[in-house]
Amino acid sequence: LEGINIIDYKLERSHEAFGELVIHLQNLYESIREYCDHKFSVKGGLACKDGIWLVTLEKDTVYRAEILAWTDGGGQNKLKEFFAETNPFACVTDELLTSLNMEFSEKDGTPFLGIGACGCVVLVQNVDQQEDQSKIVQALKVVYGDSNVALLKAEFATNQEILQVEKAESVIVKASSMTAAHTGAGMLMHEVCDVYEGKHVKQRKDALASLLNLHLLGFYHGDARKENLVKFCSGLKWCDLQRAGKLDQLNPTLAQAKVGKDVLQLLTSLGYTPESSEQSGALLGQYWTKLSKASLEALVSAICPEFFLADREISAK
């Protein structure tokens, strides 16, 4: 049995619709597993007005999600290939779990934690962990392919470099090790975290404060979207650091542009449309010079006047 396919149709592509599709596929997998001893995957397409999400599950876990636009000229062949091919992520993950002597763990009924541009993150625990011990659950980021392995290596190296700075563990997700596989690699992260939503004013302010803390450490992120923020009891932390870098290795003009890009990326991912002006350019210069809460809030207030409004005020508008 090579695979089971399902198509779900939604009016819009959203996190809620994606979650519903994953639940459908997980239920399908569990139903088949009771009667089938063979290894198999389930694949699904979430169709909406602007395209299709192609989703693959292996062992009840999402390993890949691709977006296929209706306007893509090669979409028909891509769709055919998707439902016909085997899942390389499953092979890489199996190899990594064996090498690390780990197995899937679960949170809210699934080991799937998230998916990014170059890989997915699953929850794992040690196979030899005793039942009477407190469960130590870690996050494993899995990537497939040479280009994505190179990105993961860069991310791990940057992670270790940032961790040399005092208080860095309160700003970024700590990676403990990197393990190679035949056609991919995995990065093990110490803690398990929750998804950051950024729906309310306090959450948005916390995201801004977390970005300031990263800049104060002397680093820019390079992909500072809310999807790369994760929530811990101690606060928000940044992950996916493959595009991050040291600010003091850049000339002042480029360094200012990098921190400015981080701010714009974060605001855009939170649903705002930043407005540029001569004033905002001057305020960006002040933020880069001072790297303070006041200078960052002044910049954000100028380019996104609604950012600091209470939720009820935004709704009323």
Side-chain angles (χ1 to χ4, degrees), residues 32-71:
I32 298 171
R33 190 173 64 170
E34 295 180 9
Y35 305 99
C36 179
D37 295 328
H38 299 287
K39 182 178 178 180
F40 65 95
S41 63
V42 286
K43 299 182 178 184
L46 175 61
C48 59
K49 61 184 179 181
D50 56 348
I52 304 176
W53 276 33
L54 304 177
V55 184
T56 305
L57 270 75
E58 185 78 19
K59 291 186 178 179
D60 199 27
T61 302
V62 174
Y63 283 92
R64 183 175 59 182
E66 298 177 284
I67 299 176
L68 180 64
W70 293 119
T71 55

Side-chain angles (χ1 to χ4, degrees), residues 288-301:
W288 165 236
T289 302
K290 300 178 179 179
L291 286 181
S292 65
K293 178 181 177 182
S295 60
L296 179 56
E297 289 184 351
L299 171 61
V300 173
S301 295

Side-chain angles (χ1 to χ4, degrees), residues 96-109:
L96 288 171
L97 292 178
T98 300
S99 176
L100 293 167
N101 193 34
M102 288 188 157
E103 61 186 0
F104 286 127
S105 183
E106 290 189 358
K107 183 177 183 181
D108 298 327

Side-chain angles (χ1 to χ4, degrees), residues 196-198 224-230 238 265-266 269-270:
Y196 169 75
E197 296 178 343
R225 296 173 295 115
K226 70 171 185 177
E227 290 79 7
N228 292 330
L229 272 171
V230 287
W238 290 98
Q265 285 178 329
L266 178 58
S269 70
L270 288 169

Side-chain angles (χ1 to χ4, degrees), residues 95-304:
E95 185 178 344
L96 288 171
L97 292 178
T98 300
S99 176
L100 293 167
N101 193 34
M102 288 188 157
E103 61 186 0
F104 286 127
S105 183
E106 290 189 358
K107 183 177 183 181
D108 298 327
T110 175
F112 170 66
L113 188 61
I115 191 161
C118 65
C120 65
V121 182
V122 294
L123 304 181
V124 296
Q125 62 187 32
N126 196 298
V127 172
D128 300 325
Q129 191 166 282
Q130 301 297 320
E131 291 185 3
D132 57 347
Q133 292 179 331
S134 298
K135 183 181 291 188
I136 300 175
V137 179
Q138 296 177 273
L140 177 66
K141 183 172 183 178
V142 182
V143 301
Y144 167 77
D146 292 342
S147 60
N148 289 329
V149 170
L151 287 174
L152 190 66
K153 287 181 178 179
E155 179 179 357
F156 182 72
T158 303
N159 186 282
Q160 299 303 294
E161 183 179 15
I162 297 176
L163 288 172
Q164 300 303 311
V165 182
E166 186 179 359
K167 298 182 179 180
E169 286 192 38
S170 64
V171 180
I172 67 169
V173 178
K174 181 180 179 180
S176 56
S177 65
M178 182 170 171
T179 304
H182 181 60
T183 55
M187 185 175 71
L188 199 61
M189 293 172 280
H190 268 192
E191 302 170 274
V192 170
C193 48
D194 292 319
V195 175
Y196 169 75
E197 296 178 343
K199 291 183 177 180
H200 307 296
V201 170
K202 183 184 184 306
Q203 293 176 343
R204 297 193 288 270
K205 288 182 178 179
D206 289 343
L208 209 59
S210 182
L211 183 60
L212 172 60
N213 290 334
L214 181 64
H215 291 163
L216 286 171
L217 289 178
F219 291 83
Y220 64 91
H221 192 284
D223 189 19
R225 296 173 295 115
K226 70 171 185 177
E227 290 79 7
N228 292 330
L229 272 171
V230 287
K231 185 169 58 176
F232 291 83
C233 294
S234 58
L236 297 178
K237 297 184 182 183
W238 290 98
C239 63
D240 284 353
L241 299 164
Q242 60 264 32
R243 295 180 178 85
K246 295 187 70 173
L247 289 166
D248 63 7
Q249 293 181 347
L250 307 175
N251 64 61
T253 301
L254 184 55
Q256 177 178 307
K258 290 290 187 181
V259 298
K261 182 180 179 182
D262 278 353
V263 174
L264 293 178
Q265 285 178 329
L266 178 58
L267 294 175
T268 301
S269 70
L270 288 169
Y272 297 96
T273 304
E275 302 172 359
S276 60
S277 64
E278 291 185 8
Q279 181 189 17
S280 63
L283 289 171
L284 173 58
Q286 291 180 23
Y287 170 59
W288 165 236
T289 302
K290 300 178 179 179
L291 286 181
S292 65
K293 178 181 177 182
S295 60
L296 179 56
E297 289 184 351
L299 171 61
V300 173
S301 295
I303 60 179
C304 285

